Amino acid sequence: MKGTKYLTKLTKAKLSVMIIAIALVPLQRISAAPDNCATLANEVKSLEAQRASLQKDLQKAAGSGEKQGLIAQIKQINAQIQPKQAELDKCLNSTEVLNQCSPPPDSYYKFPFGQEGGWVLARGNWNDPTNAHNQGDPNGMQAFSFDFLRMVNNVDEPGQHILAARPGTVYDLEESQTGNSWGATKIFFFKGDQVLRYDLSTGKVDPGFPKQISAIFNGWPQSWNDVDAAINWGNGKIYFFKGSQYLRYDFAANHVDAGFPRSIAGNWPGWPSSWNSGIDDAMNWGNGKVFFFKGGEYLRYDIDADHVDANYPQSIAGGNWKNFPNGWNANFDAAIPWSFGRAVFFKGNQALTVEMKTHKAMGGAYSVGSGISNWPASWSKIDAALVWSHDGYLGVGNYIVIDHGDGTFATYWHLGRHGVRVKVGDKVERGDWIAVSGNTGNSSQPHFHFDVRSGWDKAYPANVHEYPNVKLRFQDYSHKCWIPKVGEALSSNN
């Protein structure tokens, strides 16, 4: 799932109004239709105007009977708009229109890469709607999102130069992420000698859980009847802590490594002696850093340097963790990275969502297990939590957002760590080198994703707000402006 589900109690009438309001957001379309499509465009525009008027009346309506009558009228107009819109899309997507560029000077897009060979479109355009990130009309001109990759000696290689497809200003970016969240579907929660397994795709606890920890984790020590903390190191290794000991677990082998458990003391470079027992929790932050918590303090560990960072431990209440509620400055029970750039901290019978980019708490605390339909009532408190995957990562990876100045924003995704060559506020021209490709975030192979949206919220991805995609065409050596198909070799003039 993309994030924890928060449910608000609504009356049936209010819920119906909400569904209608969400469903009827007008689609963005080409502003100037060809003459032979103008009649259809005017008919659709007239129907949409009628619908907008009814929607305003619906917002003012007082009684449930009046609301239901307006909703019925809106549904009738929707039924008229759909076939008319399909006819208009078919008309607009004729060969003549597809080969036309958008109005000059800067509203057309060149491919976001250079003239070197080997580039192909992997998926996500109009003739591959099921693999696009935002599905559109498979019978019309979709062209919402594009996954580009470059094959070198039949290998899709990262580190390729990514160029600006259109001029603009760098509006937002993320460049420090290290992990790949592709295939991460399970999260384990620990309590005493038992474990729950949660499925991200269904939003439910898997059938048959909770189970004994030793029944799931092979080679588990008999003396380890509970867990203080658990952390996925992001390299195929998982660490568990209990008292003054820790053990290392191999994800691929699904077994405790030989020679474990070991003493914490003497095995973690730069580790304070006062931290040799009683770790409360630990979490991989996804940017090469790991946070450990104990009592009212925390320390930061650098994965690449294999050493505690200088000037740690520090106080949890010292200012780095912002907007935390009263009572949340010490003695955490567990912490875990969640999807869309968020983390979840657990303390007693409550949980707290934290924006990882800013370390800010997002709202107040809520009950452990909220939004999970079959969470056991007896599990109101947990001891540890763990992302079960090779990378242990649930983030969106690295990206750049460029503001074109006309209400549209280009997004470049899955970039390599520290591969961004621009900063927020930089002006870029078409063809400027802005980043290198990678395999971060929800990515099945080295490539980069490109799309254009009708807006962008800098709180993304923590607020899970996705603006609608904008239809677009590319200009290359072989065409005027056109939509490439999956598998086509691409020839850039950028």
Side-chain angles (χ1 to χ4, degrees):
M1 72 177 187
K2 287 192 174 182
T4 307
K5 298 178 180 177
Y6 302 93
L7 302 179
T8 302
K9 293 182 180 179
L10 298 170
T11 63
K12 290 183 178 180
K14 287 183 179 179
L15 183 59
S16 298
V17 173
M18 180 179 288
I19 292 172
I20 290 295
I22 292 174
L24 302 185
V25 176
L27 295 174
Q28 178 165 346
R29 71 179 120 273
I30 299 171
S31 57
D35 291 341
N36 59 328
C37 302
T39 300
L40 286 169
N42 288 332
E43 291 176 359
V44 171
K45 185 177 180 180
S46 175
L47 288 168
E48 287 181 339
Q50 295 178 48
R51 183 175 66 187
S53 177
L54 289 170
Q55 286 176 318
K56 290 181 179 179
D57 292 339
L58 183 60
Q59 293 174 358
K60 302 174 185 176
S64 60
E66 183 182 0
K67 289 180 180 178
Q68 293 302 321
L70 289 168
I71 290 172
Q73 293 181 59
I74 292 172
K75 287 182 177 179
Q76 291 176 358
I77 291 183
N78 278 345
Q80 298 175 56
I81 289 177
Q82 288 177 348
K84 288 291 182 183
Q85 183 63 59
E87 289 184 65
L88 177 59
D89 285 343
K90 185 176 180 180
C91 183
L92 291 174
N93 296 335
S94 64
T95 302
E96 293 77 17
V97 175
L98 283 177
N99 286 335
Q100 293 178 11
C101 292
S102 302
D106 290 324
S107 56
Y108 68 93
Y109 297 84
K110 291 189 177 180
F111 283 126
F113 47 83
Q115 301 176 18
E116 66 273 16
W119 285 99
V120 297
L121 180 65
R123 54 191 163 269
N125 71 337
W126 67 273
N127 71 329
D128 188 16
T130 59
N131 287 313
H133 289 204
N134 297 77
Q135 293 189 24
D137 179 8
N139 300 312
M141 184 178 69
Q142 181 170 320
F144 281 139
S145 57
F146 301 84
D147 286 347
F148 296 108
L149 62 86
R150 184 174 181 235
M151 304 296 292
V152 180
N153 297 323
N154 295 319
V155 176
D156 46 331
E157 290 194 352
Q160 302 301 314
H161 291 190
I162 298 174
L163 312 182
R166 184 180 159 190
T169 303
V170 178
Y171 188 73
D172 196 9
L173 61 83
E174 173 60 63
E175 63 171 340
S176 65
Q177 298 298 295
T178 61
N180 181 285
S181 58
W182 182 263
T185 61
K186 303 291 185 181
I187 293 178
F188 285 105
F189 295 94
F190 300 83
K191 179 184 179 183
D193 62 355
Q194 293 189 313
V195 60
L196 279 180
R197 191 176 68 195
Y198 172 80
D199 191 293
L200 285 160
S201 61
T202 65
K204 297 179 179 180
V205 174
D206 280 342
F209 284 85
K211 295 182 178 181
Q212 294 293 118
I213 297 175
S214 57
I216 301 298
F217 295 92
N218 298 318
W220 195 260
Q222 291 184 355
S223 60
W224 278 50
N225 54 7
D226 60 4
V227 172
D228 292 337
I231 182 171
N232 192 317
W233 210 248
N235 61 352
K237 299 293 184 180
I238 296 166
Y239 290 92
F240 294 92
F241 296 82
K242 173 180 165 60
S244 62
Q245 292 184 314
Y246 75 101
L247 61 82
R248 191 178 69 199
Y249 199 90
D250 188 277
F251 175 80
N254 198 21
H255 200 282
V256 174
D257 280 342
F260 288 88
R262 296 178 181 174
S263 172
I264 295 174
N267 285 304
W268 294 82
W271 199 264
S273 59
S274 60
W275 281 60
N276 286 337
S277 181
I279 302 300
D280 289 334
D281 61 358
M283 198 183 84
N284 190 329
W285 212 246
N287 61 355
K289 303 291 185 179
V290 171
F291 289 103
F292 291 89
F293 298 86
K294 181 184 177 183
E297 292 186 316
Y298 73 101
L299 60 80
R300 192 177 67 193
Y301 200 93
D302 189 281
I303 293 176
D304 292 337
D306 193 21
H307 198 281
V308 174
D309 280 343
N311 302 318
Y312 285 90
Q314 295 182 12
S315 171
I316 296 173
N320 191 45
W321 306 96
K322 306 174 182 68
N323 300 343
F324 275 42
N326 292 334
W328 280 77
N329 290 328
N331 303 319
F332 298 142
D333 293 325
I336 191 170
W338 207 261
S339 57
F340 282 83
R342 297 175 299 165
V344 180
F345 286 70
F346 298 86
K347 178 179 168 65
N349 63 355
Q350 293 188 310
L352 184 71
T353 302
V354 176
E355 186 178 50
M356 297 178 72
K357 197 171 184 179
T358 62
H359 293 206
K360 289 182 179 179
M362 300 173 61
Y366 49 92
S367 298
V368 171
S370 294
I372 302 177
S373 60
N374 56 343
W375 187 270
S378 60
W379 279 61
S380 59
K381 182 181 184 299
I382 64 170
D383 298 332
L386 172 71
V387 177
W388 183 250
S389 70
H390 181 276
D391 279 0
Y393 177 81
L394 292 175
V396 297
N398 300 312
Y399 59 87
I400 295 175
V401 180
I402 294 180
D403 180 0
H404 296 139
D406 61 356
T408 64
F409 296 77
T411 65
Y412 304 72
W413 295 88
H414 310 305
L415 310 178
R417 184 188 183 193
H418 301 318
V420 174
R421 295 176 55 86
V422 293
K423 63 183 183 298
V424 172
D426 282 353
K427 303 290 185 182
V428 298
E429 299 297 330
R430 188 183 286 107
D432 283 353
W433 181 15
I434 59 174
V436 297
S437 63
N439 197 28
T440 58
N442 190 23
S443 170
S444 61
Q445 63 190 124
H447 77 292
F448 78 98
H449 173 99
F450 177 82
D451 63 37
V452 179
R453 307 189 183 190
S454 61
W456 186 263
D457 190 331
K458 285 189 177 181
Y460 184 90
N463 65 355
V464 203
H465 187 181
E466 296 267 8
Y467 280 87
N469 289 112
V470 176
K471 296 177 181 179
L472 60 99
R473 311 182 197 99
F474 293 100
Q475 183 188 61
D476 78 340
Y477 271 134
S478 305
H479 303 77
K480 292 181 179 179
C481 283
W482 117 113
I483 304 170
K485 293 183 178 181
V486 171
E488 283 187 313
L490 305 177
S491 176
S492 176
N493 62 349
N494 200 352

